[in-house]
Amino acid sequence: MTRTAIVTGAARGIGAAVAQRLAADGHAVGVIDLDEAACADTVAAIADAGGRALAVGADVADSAAVAGAVSRVADELGAPTILVNNAGIIRDNLLFKMTEDDWDAVLSVHLRGAFLMSREVQKHQVEAGWGRIVNLSSTSALGNRGQANYAAAKAGMQGFTKTLAIELGRYGVTANAIAPGFIVTDMTRATAARIGVEFEQFVEFNAKEIPVGRPGHPGDIAAAAAFFCSAEAGFVSGQVLYVAGGPRA
């Protein structure tokens, strides 16, 4: 059955891969990112493959922008019943160097953004009596040096997810989280730059620590998201799936 999905932070990386996978599964996709023009490549890839997509620029931490974005998707693609909260930023630093702005920015985009998007989309899901919410957490939720803000946000996403599952389950809406491990993206490239390591060396070093012997790629996360968004996953809710190549990755 064709449904309408929204993927945030979908201009590139994991978000773009998820948007393209959901489109390949037959869904129309609202591609949301801070810069609407930056969504063009993702929308073009979906259109070239025969799918339907709409680029929408919105700050997910701004309630008015979120309401406008979801309304636009509903008007142009149909009421959204699938939501993937992927938008995120990093402002890495050791605790004694971390500024209040670093903390607030990361918590705002990840947690406030997921809250605002979920609150807006659940209206359509409850009305339809069916819905899927997938939140992006991270293995950093377990703690990671230099990422007190990011780790706190990603741990918060897990508690948020489990609460959504409890509150929305009676309306046919499931909520699950994916916690990626080391994934080759612009964000991990930025981490390598922050610590002064060549990206190729950074990838090679991290791959050695992963039991399956390779780094993750956005498509690995998209595959997990596709399952959680499927009709067959209706009895799976409130779960956190670590997609990390092994239990300690």
Side-chain angles (χ1 to χ4, degrees), residues 87-109:
I89 60 172
I90 55 172
R91 296 289 186 272
D92 294 351
N93 224 326
L94 294 174
L95 180 64
F96 76 99
K97 294 181 180 180
M98 187 173 289
T99 68
E100 292 174 21
D101 286 344
D102 290 337
W103 178 271
D104 290 344
V106 170
L107 272 290
S108 183
V109 174

Side-chain angles (χ1 to χ4, degrees), residues 18-93:
V18 171
Q20 291 176 52
R21 174 59 189 265
L22 293 181
D25 289 346
H27 306 301
V29 183
V31 178
I32 294 181
D33 213 298
L34 188 61
D35 179 9
E36 185 169 317
C39 300
D41 288 345
T42 304
V43 170
I46 291 172
D48 289 345
R52 294 174 62 219
L54 172 70
V56 181
D59 177 357
V60 296
D62 181 286
S63 59
V66 165
V70 173
S71 177
R72 186 176 163 199
V73 170
D75 289 343
E76 299 191 34
L77 295 179
T81 53
I82 296 172
L83 171 64
V84 179
N85 285 309
N86 169 75
I89 60 172
I90 55 172
R91 296 289 186 272
D92 294 351
N93 224 326

Side-chain angles (χ1 to χ4, degrees), residues 180-194:
F182 185 84
I183 309 296
V184 178
T185 64
D186 288 346
M187 190 173 285
T188 49
R189 186 178 294 276
T191 299
R194 176 179 64 84

Side-chain angles (χ1 to χ4, degrees), residues 129-213:
W130 191 96
R132 299 285 185 264
I133 297 174
V134 178
N135 295 318
L136 268 292
S137 179
S138 169
T139 54
S140 291
L142 303 174
N144 198 30
R145 180 179 175 85
Q147 290 193 318
N149 49 5
Y150 186 76
K154 290 308 192 181
M157 290 289 267
Q158 297 189 16
F160 179 62
T161 298
K162 291 176 181 293
T163 302
L164 291 184
I166 293 168
E167 292 189 9
L168 299 176
R170 69 185 62 187
Y171 304 107
V173 180
T174 66
N176 293 285
I178 298 171
F182 185 84
I183 309 296
V184 178
T185 64
D186 288 346
M187 190 173 285
T188 49
R189 186 178 294 276
T191 299
R194 176 179 64 84
I195 63 177
V197 177
E198 291 292 330
F199 186 56
E200 292 72 18
Q201 292 178 309
F202 188 59
V203 172
E204 183 179 353
F205 172 81
N206 280 278
K208 289 179 181 178
E209 303 299 313
I210 300 172
V212 300

Side-chain angles (χ1 to χ4, degrees), residues 223-248:
F227 167 70
F228 280 141
C229 293
S230 69
E232 292 82 359
F235 202 56
V236 181
S237 195
Q239 303 305 302
V240 179
L241 177 63
Y242 283 81
V243 182
R248 298 189 180 185

